[in-house]
Amino acid sequence: MDSTLAFVVSGLLVGGALGFVLQRGRFCVNSAYREVLFKDYTMLRAYVIAVVVTIIGANLFEDMGWLRQADETGAMVAGTLYRQSFVPWANIIGGYIFGMGIVLAGGCGSGILYRVGEGNLAYVVAVFGFFFGIAMTNFGILKPVFETLTSYQVFVGEEEVPTLYNIIGVNKWIIIAVITAAAIPFVFKDNPFQKAKKGYSWSLVGLLVGIVAVAAFWASSYFGGNARGLSFTGPLRELFLAVTMGDSKARPALIQSKSLLGANFSWSSLYVLAVPFGAYLSGKLLNEVKLKVPPADELFKVLLGGIIMGIGAQIAGGCNIGQGLTGVSTLAVSSWVANSFTILGNWTMVYFLLIRPMKD
């Protein structure tokens, strides 16, 4: 298959599959975190399954040598998982801000994208707000803040990215075994084999999200130049910039792009583009696609939430998928810290927006 055709088809297939699965299971990490405060752990269990599957699959692919990456000349060589540097202030502050934003927006980075495919105008507004927050932090008025927060990095030894295993000096599979062992009783506490009345059960959607995430690691390494996996912050920025400016400006520099319709698209920007279409297909089959135009006050709220999401995600180095699924699967300390503070930010906003008004 022609390299450009494989680049396009693989990106669209991964994104379409992800959107289909997300819609079919109503999977949103914002809901997974939020519902814990209301004693509902169903979506959190689905999320935990996805994390465990992704951790095992991604690291197995790495150890088996099934990942590739582009070198400085553009040639493909043996690759490893892309692990983000530990920038503690950025991971903590950005994660917390992002966690608050997803509550206001009514969905996480992946949640608002797949719900666009269901026809709700609110999530179209949230997506544009998400990009606006990313852009103003990466290129605009908040760039000095972003650069200051990301200037301080922590390394292990000679500039090695800190991971859960190298900071304590053990084999990574010991850490993976501990995480898996802790997850199993939590997951099996709520009848994971029960079928859903409509769509996919929580356990099946968790499994499928994990499988798509692992496939994305392989596909992004073979066709995108780097084992980047799934994310929505950088790829959404790259998609908007490719469409509006003609160049995705993908980072890191070794991430490859292809010229399509006169613009340079990264592989990841193509899968982001396909997510709403996959969700639309699933929604049509379930008869859940309907054009909805919310009132102005709701549109303003989700726009504000999307902007806050974008600011937080850009500072933190990723969103709920980029850090909370893909990142944590690499066992990078940065991702585990950012995701922890995303949860805290989520709970803070849920308290002030939902729980405290009920008490009053």
Side-chain angles (χ1 to χ4, degrees):
M1 184 184 292
D2 176 79
S3 61
T4 300
L5 181 61
F7 180 92
V8 173
V9 170
S10 62
L12 295 179
L13 282 177
V14 168
L18 180 63
F20 189 95
V21 170
L22 292 176
Q23 198 286 328
R24 190 53 62 107
R26 316 301 300 170
F27 184 89
C28 179
V29 181
N30 171 48
S31 300
Y33 298 158
R34 181 191 63 211
E35 296 306 313
V36 169
L37 297 179
F38 301 98
K39 310 301 182 183
D40 184 350
Y41 303 96
T42 304
M43 194 57 66
L44 184 65
R45 289 187 170 95
Y47 166 70
V48 169
I49 291 176
V51 168
V52 170
V53 170
T54 309
I55 289 176
I56 294 174
N59 284 278
L60 182 63
F61 275 29
E62 181 178 50
D63 289 0
M64 295 294 289
W66 293 348
L67 303 178
R68 303 191 305 173
Q69 66 188 43
D71 63 14
E72 290 78 4
T73 67
M76 299 303 293
V77 298
T80 59
L81 295 173
Y82 175 65
R83 295 176 170 89
Q84 290 202 38
S85 300
F86 183 31
V87 281
W89 291 116
N91 295 147
I92 291 170
I93 295 173
Y96 191 81
I97 292 172
F98 177 77
M100 292 191 292
I102 60 179
V103 179
L104 279 175
C108 55
S110 56
I112 61 175
L113 254 296
Y114 92 72
R115 288 185 176 112
V116 167
E118 295 178 335
N120 193 323
L121 183 61
Y123 296 108
V124 176
V125 172
V127 169
F128 275 89
F130 190 27
F131 168 70
F132 186 76
I134 293 169
M136 69 187 293
T137 308
N138 195 76
F139 307 112
I141 192 171
L142 294 179
K143 184 177 180 180
V145 177
F146 171 56
E147 292 179 339
T148 299
L149 291 174
T150 55
S151 62
Y152 175 64
Q153 300 184 34
V154 176
F155 298 99
V156 174
E158 296 182 2
E159 297 194 354
E160 183 179 2
V161 173
T163 62
L164 297 183
Y165 52 91
N166 66 18
I167 59 174
I168 56 178
V170 298
N171 185 284
K172 69 177 179 180
W173 287 100
I174 294 176
I175 302 297
I176 295 172
V178 171
I179 293 171
T180 304
I184 289 174
F186 174 70
V187 168
F188 277 86
K189 194 174 182 180
D190 189 26
N191 191 10
F193 302 109
Q194 184 177 6
K195 293 183 178 180
K197 294 180 180 179
K198 191 175 184 181
Y200 293 156
S201 66
W202 62 266
S203 54
L204 178 58
V205 74
L207 174 64
L208 291 177
V209 168
I211 291 174
V212 174
V214 174
F217 270 119
W218 178 85
S220 63
S221 74
Y222 267 73
F223 304 109
N226 192 288
R228 188 183 189 184
L230 295 177
S231 180
F232 284 91
T233 306
L236 184 68
R237 180 189 68 232
E238 292 157 18
L239 173 62
F240 272 75
L241 291 178
V243 171
T244 59
M245 306 294 290
D247 192 345
S248 63
K249 300 183 185 299
R251 293 193 307 270
L254 296 182
I255 292 176
Q256 296 179 333
S257 61
K258 296 284 186 179
S259 180
L260 305 167
L261 303 175
N264 291 321
F265 289 86
S266 67
W267 181 88
S268 296
S269 68
L270 293 179
Y271 93 69
V272 168
L273 177 64
V275 167
F277 292 98
Y280 173 80
L281 176 60
S282 172
K284 286 295 286 185
L285 294 174
L286 293 177
N287 196 28
E288 292 181 348
V289 174
K290 182 180 180 181
L291 182 62
K292 300 175 184 176
V293 182
D297 58 342
E298 183 177 345
L299 291 176
F300 177 76
K301 187 184 78 169
V302 299
L303 175 63
L304 178 62
I307 293 172
I308 294 173
M309 283 173 59
I311 294 170
Q314 184 62 52
I315 292 173
C319 63
N320 56 290
I321 295 295
Q323 292 284 37
L325 179 64
T326 298
V328 299
S329 72
T330 70
L331 305 178
V333 169
S334 57
S335 299
W336 284 79
V337 170
N339 194 47
S340 298
F341 279 88
T342 293
I343 296 172
L344 292 177
N346 177 281
W347 289 350
T348 300
M349 186 59 76
V350 169
Y351 174 79
F352 285 106
L353 202 65
L354 301 176
I355 297 177
R356 187 172 178 179
M358 288 191 296
K359 290 182 178 180
D360 294 340

